[in-house]
Amino acid sequence: MHGIVNKAIQGLVTENYGLEAWNRIKTKSNVKEDSFISSEPYPDGITFSLAQSASEELGVTVDQVLQAFGEYWILKTGMEHYGPLMKSGGSNFQEFLVNLPNFHSRVMLIFPNVTPPEFQVTDVTDQSLVMHYYSTRNGLKHFVYGLLMGIAKMFDKSIDITIIKSKDAGNHHDEFLIEW
């Protein structure tokens, strides 16, 4: 994953729990880097190790860490680093989600060496839709759950999310039923 992901995890931890907590997490995860360069790729194992160590340090599940990180990614990292791009995604929650597949095409223009996940939206109604999440990486469905919650907060929208299919259960991809 690119350094911006690891920098965002660091930001989430230091803003909410302090620098000492971040240093303990970094030590537990055996991460040797003093800092991360946003545009540089790093092994995925670093990110997953940081999430696991954060779980242990903060006394929450890895899924909870990933969900909190997903929300933080949208509300803090996304808005600070991609503000105009985020704002161009749609004028409301549903429009933003429907346009999400196009968003990652634009991200590839910023980071040409990145292989972003793919999203597909189906079963759109006035009060729900199904979001399909395709990724070469495993173990990120709770991060996506947090992203979706962050997008809802960005639009001040109350939502319910149900994971209806999971790669962990042997499915080809993850699917989320999002209702508002």
Side-chain angles (χ1 to χ4, degrees), residues 38-101:
S38 294
S39 60
E40 291 296 313
Y42 293 86
D44 290 355
I46 289 176
T47 306
F48 287 113
S49 182
L50 289 169
Q52 179 63 46
S53 296
S55 165
E56 294 167 12
E57 173 69 24
L58 304 175
V60 298
T61 67
V62 172
D63 293 347
Q64 289 171 313
V65 168
L66 291 172
Q67 285 177 13
F69 177 52
E71 281 191 37
Y72 181 88
W73 180 262
I74 293 295
L75 299 173
K76 186 74 171 178
T77 305
M79 293 307 288
E80 283 183 6
H81 294 275
Y82 310 107
L85 187 59
M86 296 285 288
K87 291 178 181 169
S88 72
S91 61
N92 61 53
F93 177 72
Q94 183 178 3
E95 187 177 292
F96 191 94
L97 291 185
V98 169
N99 289 330
L100 195 56

Side-chain angles (χ1 to χ4, degrees), residues 94-164:
Q94 183 178 3
E95 187 177 292
F96 191 94
L97 291 185
V98 169
N99 289 330
L100 195 56
N102 300 326
F103 182 81
H104 280 96
S105 297
R106 290 183 228 133
V107 169
M108 287 174 50
L109 296 173
I110 298 168
F111 294 108
N113 296 327
V114 74
T115 304
E118 293 181 36
F119 292 93
Q120 180 184 13
V121 177
T122 62
D123 305 304
V124 178
T125 72
D126 289 340
Q127 299 190 4
S128 68
L129 58 78
V130 174
M131 178 68 67
H132 302 259
Y133 167 67
Y134 303 88
S135 178
T136 58
R137 294 180 172 100
N138 293 321
L140 292 176
K141 75 176 176 230
H142 289 283
F143 173 68
V144 174
Y145 188 104
L147 291 173
L148 296 168
M149 293 301 290
I151 294 166
K153 286 182 179 181
M154 188 172 78
F155 287 101
D156 197 27
K157 191 77 160 171
S158 178
I159 65 168
D160 290 312
I161 302 174
T162 305
I163 300 170
I164 55 177

